[in-house]
Amino acid sequence: MLRKTLAGVVVLLIGATLMSSRRAEAHNIDLDKAQEVARDFARAIRKESNGNYLHYSTRCGRAFPGHNHIVKCDIEYQNAKDTKAGVYTCKEAIEVYFSHHGRSDTHNYSYFIRHTSGNKCGSRQPGVDYV
């Protein structure tokens, strides 16, 4: 009886592991491409500022060592006064990522962006239209 119970628990654990890993499947993001997606987003924010933000800088890196599913980026914007002072006017943090997908025939390899800081430097919301 104990063997049957243990065998049943093992089967359930293996099944749960396989099901959860299927939902979490994702592909690696190219770090250079993710950096360019962040720059495109920053350019859009700079453009909508109507000249308030003259410069921007991006710093991106892998979110988790050994994995490349999510790239974290810090973006700093500067107006004319802050450029001279060497400080930033506004700073925000974003993540660039692939949406997870199952093993279906239709994979979505679009780059998505989401804010990870409470600070937003423009009214533009992240999305896939920056790629």
Side-chain angles (χ1 to χ4, degrees):
M1 182 67 166
L2 182 59
R3 284 186 180 168
K4 286 183 181 181
T5 303
L6 287 175
V9 169
V10 169
V11 168
L12 285 174
L13 288 173
I14 291 172
T17 302
L18 291 174
M19 294 296 281
S20 65
S21 64
R22 183 175 179 190
R23 284 190 299 254
E25 179 183 335
H27 290 277
N28 287 336
I29 293 177
D30 180 77
L31 186 58
D32 292 334
K33 175 64 176 169
Q35 175 96 24
E36 190 55 40
V37 168
R39 286 184 187 127
D40 289 344
F41 178 73
R43 284 184 200 108
I45 298 296
R46 182 182 65 186
K47 183 177 179 181
E48 86 170 8
S49 78
N50 294 320
N52 186 35
Y53 299 143
L54 298 179
H55 303 286
Y56 68 88
S57 65
T58 58
R59 281 187 317 280
C60 297
R62 290 181 179 88
F64 305 104
H67 294 280
N68 198 11
H69 302 301
I70 298 172
V71 173
K72 292 183 178 248
C73 300
D74 290 325
I75 306 174
E76 297 175 348
Y77 303 90
Q78 294 176 312
N79 61 22
K81 177 184 163 196
D82 291 336
T83 298
K84 289 178 185 175
V87 297
Y88 62 86
T89 308
C90 187
K91 181 179 180 178
E92 62 188 345
I94 63 169
E95 287 180 345
V96 181
Y97 65 98
F98 282 140
S99 180
H100 71 85
H101 56 270
R103 296 180 190 270
S104 68
D105 292 334
T106 57
H107 295 292
N108 186 352
Y109 295 108
S110 297
Y111 286 77
F112 289 83
I113 298 172
R114 62 180 162 230
H115 275 107
T116 57
S117 63
N119 198 36
K120 296 177 184 172
C121 298
S123 62
R124 219 162 227 258
Q125 293 301 309
V128 294
D129 57 334
Y130 303 102
V131 268

